[in-house]
Amino acid sequence: MKSTLLIILLSQCYITSAAENSTAVLIKFLSTVNQNLAALYNREVLANWQLEIKGPNDLYALLQSELASEETMRYIQSLAPKSAKFKRLNIGNPELQRELAQIPETGYEALSPTDLKLMYIVTTNMGDIYKNTKLCSFYDRRQCNLTLIPAVQNILHNSVNVSEIEHYWLEWRRKTGMAAKEDFAVFVELYRKTSILNGFQKPSEFWFKDLEEDSSQATTLLEKSMQRLKPLFQQFHAHVRGQLRRLYGEDLIARGKPFPQNFAEIFIGNAFRRADPEWFIEFPYPDVSMPNITAGLLRRGLTNAQRVFWNVAEYFRSLGMPQIEDTFWSENARPKANLDEESIRCWHKAWKYYGIKRVNFSYCPLVDEERFFNMFEALTDVYYYRAYEHQPTLYAEEPFPNFSDAVGKMFSLAASSPRYLEKLKFVDTGMISKELRINRLYWQGLRSIFLLPVFYVLDRYRVDVLDGSLNISDNCAYWKLTSDLTGAEPPVSRSNEDFDAPAKLLVEVDDQYTSQIMSTVLQYQLYKHFCEITGQYKPSDPDYPLDLCDLSNQRQIGPLVMQAMSYGSSKSYKDILHIMTNESAINMDGLLAYFHPLYEWLVEQNRIDGVEIGWEPTTKCSSENKEK
């Protein structure tokens, strides 16, 4: 009996000792991985930083970037077997298991050399189609050298010729759709292989892997968000359709039908022309001009990027966040190269390093409204990177892609508050009039509310194709999704002989939009919470609406944000969201509260105008109704 007990005791000691040894081995493994990845990532960041400030013609930096990227991928590939073994053994505490799970997957590199080369070929081909396709002029069909952006875009945004608008819509799809179909089919098959080789049961699980949600959870979150958005979107859609009907007539914009996509794209796209958008959009109150914030910046002496930077830095300091040191600009900031490019590509950007306490900053020398608000987003990243700089490399990331973008855009949203802009004397007093508020919300809504269903369709379409529930050749299924969810239909009849999805997907065929939807919704959720806890938003008080909330000088916000950001990806986004808001799920409450004044105006105005709400299913796509 004693010998049996001794054997059991020795066995338990052995098991405990083995577990402790295995845990020690895992700790050492993770420590080595963190150190090696930091060195590899920093080489890549430094090379890309040089390209940013010197331009893409810096061949040495370009070569260093490519070499660093290749070396990083080879190292990640070498980690896969040992990482998989540790995961199977399930050793160590939950914190170690989470850190282990942060080791990047090999992704496409898991494919065989032949398949990997093919994947790069087809994705490059589709990207090149977007960049290099030339369209033929409407007025001279022999002139076929027009790029979509900016040449055709500029033509369309200034055209009132219905035939011309339809020509370019068809020309773009004729040149891109069928040309990309074979490559897209190959991409789908290779993506399915990639998901299996990376240990996922179906492609949609691989697609949503960075969200820490399985495909059913992600799908449910998206569907609930779209349902919550539907009443506001339908009212907004009805008003835009009414505006299009005034422009193009009832023959082209039929009652109760989806609006033609080509006309809607121009109308909504004009909201992104921030220089005097009222020239291109009929605002709810056309006699009330949008304020010229760019002129206000210059009037207040913010005539260069450096002055804008320190003005924005003072805003963050007023929130109780650490003050940026005086030497940051001279030691860490450099202007972005290639200002001869379109100004839309010129933005401020923070550059993080791993394992060292350093953040670089590239800035756009242009000073205007867009760059002013972008500075809040870029400076948020500076604070974000510094907040988690103590974390190991594997945790030195945001909890899901675009999470930091949500935080940055939340501060940008707060800075666009009319009350804050009046406080800085960037705009004249009286900006908080009802008319100007509605105009502003209408413009903001065109730039955000209308994008959410479009993003949803693009991800839903690809996930359904990848999982095999939707056939690539079923072009009408794509248009059913587009019509049902965005209220748009093709301007002419389409059939399954066409292939229209690539017209929206060619830039990055594997670029996920779900995280952008979550990020957009989250920025309003965060804004609502911070405005509530500071008393700047009171749901039942018309004097404190959410769209006028001014967070400046609310010092309790900074420490809370810095604490949440300090975790990097060491906690799930739900845990970090709970730290910031006491809520663990992303919801539409903030967005709906922010745009509530616009919703009320739309309901009343649509009633006055007698416009119909909602739309019938499209009849513009079937195998029988193809127009030649």
Side-chain angles (χ1 to χ4, degrees):
M1 183 67 178
K2 289 183 179 180
S3 61
T4 302
L5 290 174
L6 180 60
I7 292 172
I8 294 173
L9 182 60
L10 290 173
S11 298
Q12 290 175 337
C13 290
Y14 174 79
I15 292 170
T16 301
S17 177
E20 290 174 350
N21 288 338
S22 297
T23 299
V25 171
L26 175 58
I27 291 172
K28 183 177 180 181
F29 170 71
L30 291 172
S31 176
T32 302
V33 169
N34 280 310
Q35 292 175 16
N36 291 341
L37 282 178
L40 291 167
Y41 286 165
N42 285 343
R43 278 185 55 197
E44 198 168 351
V45 171
L46 184 59
N48 290 332
W49 157 254
Q50 292 297 316
L51 288 172
E52 180 81 356
I53 63 176
K54 294 182 179 179
N57 293 326
D58 188 331
L59 298 181
Y60 178 76
L62 183 62
L63 178 62
Q64 288 299 306
S65 176
E66 291 176 353
L67 291 175
S69 179
E70 291 173 3
E71 189 175 352
T72 300
M73 185 50 63
R74 284 197 298 271
Y75 180 66
I76 290 172
Q77 283 180 292
S78 74
L79 295 175
K82 189 172 288 188
S83 175
K85 181 179 179 180
F86 280 122
K87 289 177 181 177
R88 286 195 306 271
L89 293 174
N90 197 31
I91 59 176
N93 57 35
E95 287 75 17
L96 289 175
Q97 287 296 315
R98 179 170 181 82
E99 191 173 353
L100 179 65
Q102 300 301 107
I103 294 177
E105 290 97 355
T106 53
Y108 297 148
E109 304 292 330
L111 294 167
S112 69
T114 301
D115 282 346
L116 179 61
K117 182 179 180 180
L118 184 57
M119 175 63 94
Y120 286 149
I121 289 172
V122 298
T123 53
T124 300
N125 284 349
M126 287 186 280
D128 287 345
I129 289 173
Y130 182 87
K131 297 172 188 173
N132 302 328
T133 291
K134 301 295 191 297
L135 307 183
C136 297
S137 169
F138 173 70
Y139 291 103
D140 183 359
R141 305 301 168 91
R142 295 169 298 177
Q143 180 192 347
C144 296
N145 62 348
L146 301 178
T147 58
L148 179 66
I149 299 174
V152 172
Q153 184 184 58
N154 289 336
I155 292 170
L156 291 176
H157 281 295
N158 294 282
S159 177
V160 294
N161 187 324
V162 170
S163 297
E164 182 179 32
I165 294 170
E166 184 178 295
H167 163 78
Y168 286 115
W169 188 93
L170 284 168
E171 179 77 352
W172 174 247
R173 281 151 184 80
R174 182 175 69 83
K175 291 283 187 71
T176 61
M178 297 308 295
K181 186 172 183 179
E182 185 176 342
D183 283 333
F184 186 71
V186 173
F187 163 79
V188 168
E189 290 305 316
L190 292 176
Y191 195 93
R192 290 169 178 169
K193 283 186 182 181
T194 302
S195 66
I196 294 171
L197 292 170
N198 279 273
F200 293 86
Q201 292 185 344
K202 56 182 182 177
S204 56
E205 301 292 349
F206 186 51
W207 187 263
F208 293 120
K209 67 183 186 309
D210 292 331
L211 304 180
E212 295 191 52
E213 305 270 13
D214 61 36
S215 59
S216 63
Q217 291 172 324
T219 300
T220 299
L221 174 62
L222 291 172
E223 289 176 348
K224 285 183 177 179
S225 297
M226 292 304 105
Q227 283 299 314
R228 292 288 312 281
L229 183 67
K230 190 174 181 179
L232 169 60
F233 180 75
Q234 285 194 335
Q235 292 289 337
F236 210 164
H237 176 279
H239 191 269
V240 168
R241 183 173 51 195
Q243 295 278 66
L244 293 174
R245 189 174 294 139
R246 293 190 187 96
L247 289 170
Y248 300 109
E250 192 157 333
D251 288 343
L252 292 175
I253 314 296
R255 296 185 67 84
K257 301 288 188 181
F259 46 45
Q261 190 183 69
N262 55 338
F263 296 141
E265 286 177 339
I266 294 172
F267 185 91
I268 296 165
N270 277 331
F272 290 86
R273 301 180 66 151
R274 187 56 192 96
D276 300 318
E278 55 265 36
W279 289 4
F280 308 99
I281 303 171
E282 184 175 343
F283 275 80
Y285 296 97
D287 295 333
V288 180
S289 298
M290 294 281 282
N292 191 331
I293 296 174
T294 299
L297 291 169
L298 300 177
R299 186 173 62 249
R300 296 293 295 169
L302 301 185
T303 54
N304 58 53
Q306 184 175 359
R307 290 185 175 182
V308 172
F309 176 90
W310 290 115
N311 182 280
V312 175
E314 175 59 24
Y315 176 88
F316 284 101
R317 190 198 63 78
S318 80
L319 300 179
M321 299 174 82
Q323 186 167 354
I324 300 291
E325 64 275 13
D326 294 340
T327 56
F328 181 88
W329 189 263
S330 60
E331 295 180 0
N332 301 65
R334 297 291 183 273
K336 175 178 166 56
N338 294 330
L339 289 183
D340 56 332
E341 296 181 11
E342 297 174 70
S343 62
I344 194 171
R345 300 178 184 175
C346 185
W347 301 106
H348 313 302
K349 178 178 173 61
W351 298 76
K352 68 177 178 181
Y353 291 87
Y354 297 81
I356 57 176
K357 295 184 177 182
R358 182 174 181 84
V359 177
N360 282 353
F361 193 83
S362 58
Y363 61 89
C364 176
L366 301 176
V367 176
D368 58 22
E369 175 182 344
E370 296 276 55
R371 252 53 62 166
F372 173 68
F373 292 124
N374 173 238
M375 188 67 83
F376 286 84
E377 299 169 34
L379 204 45
T380 297
D381 284 342
V382 172
Y383 278 104
Y384 210 140
Y385 300 156
R386 288 185 165 188
Y388 65 52
E389 64 186 4
H390 64 286
Q391 294 284 0
T393 303
L394 291 171
Y395 284 156
E397 303 289 347
E398 55 192 333
F400 72 74
N402 293 313
F403 185 92
S404 64
D405 190 56
V407 181
K409 281 187 165 58
M410 183 273 296
F411 284 121
S412 175
L413 189 68
S416 72
S417 164
R419 282 180 174 157
Y420 176 65
L421 294 174
E422 281 190 2
K423 181 188 295 184
L424 295 181
K425 295 182 170 56
F426 287 168
V427 298
D428 296 330
T429 57
M431 188 179 170
I432 59 176
S433 68
K434 174 191 174 183
E435 293 78 11
L436 209 150
R437 282 177 64 200
I438 296 301
N439 279 357
R440 175 174 168 268
L441 290 172
Y442 193 93
W443 170 70
Q444 288 178 305
L446 288 175
R447 292 164 60 108
S448 57
I449 293 169
F450 271 89
L451 289 182
L452 294 177
V454 172
F455 286 163
Y456 176 59
V457 167
L458 294 178
D459 258 17
R460 170 78 177 273
Y461 170 79
R462 283 176 294 181
V463 166
D464 286 352
V465 168
L466 290 170
D467 277 353
S469 59
L470 192 155
N471 191 300
I472 288 177
S473 296
D474 194 348
N475 192 52
C476 290
Y478 165 75
W479 277 113
K480 185 179 187 307
L481 274 176
T482 300
S483 172
D484 289 351
L485 294 163
T486 74
E489 66 180 6
V492 298
S493 295
R494 308 299 277 167
S495 77
N496 287 338
E497 296 175 14
D498 302 302
F499 188 48
D500 294 318
K504 297 283 190 180
L505 295 172
L506 288 175
V507 184
E508 294 289 347
V509 72
D510 57 352
D511 190 17
Q512 185 208 83
Y513 287 104
T514 295
S515 62
Q516 293 188 41
I517 296 172
M518 293 170 64
S519 177
T520 300
V521 175
L522 178 58
Q523 67 173 290
Y524 291 97
Q525 184 175 353
L526 294 174
Y527 187 50
K528 174 178 176 288
H529 175 72
F530 291 139
C531 289
E532 280 183 316
I533 65 174
T534 56
Q536 300 302 304
Y537 165 56
K538 301 175 183 178
S540 58
D541 190 338
D543 292 331
Y544 289 88
L546 187 55
D547 64 293
L548 296 184
C549 166
D550 174 17
L551 291 179
S552 61
N553 299 309
Q554 302 299 323
R555 298 189 65 82
Q556 67 267 49
I557 294 175
L560 180 59
V561 173
M562 290 297 291
Q563 178 194 4
M565 295 192 302
S566 71
Y567 291 107
S569 60
S570 65
K571 293 181 179 294
S572 72
Y573 83 84
K574 293 179 181 179
D575 290 337
I576 293 174
L577 180 59
H578 191 267
I579 291 168
M580 297 176 83
T581 67
N582 291 322
E583 298 175 315
S584 298
I586 292 177
N587 64 66
M588 296 287 294
D589 292 350
L591 184 146
L592 296 178
Y594 188 86
F595 287 104
H596 185 69
L598 175 64
Y599 173 74
E600 290 187 322
W601 180 87
L602 287 168
V603 170
E604 178 61 16
Q605 193 62 42
N606 287 337
R607 184 191 65 78
I608 293 171
D609 293 342
V611 299
E612 69 286 9
I613 311 300
W615 55 90
E616 300 171 7
T618 183
T619 57
K620 285 290 188 71
C621 192
S622 77
S623 57
E624 289 81 29
N625 69 354
K626 174 72 175 177
E627 286 182 3
K628 301 294 184 183

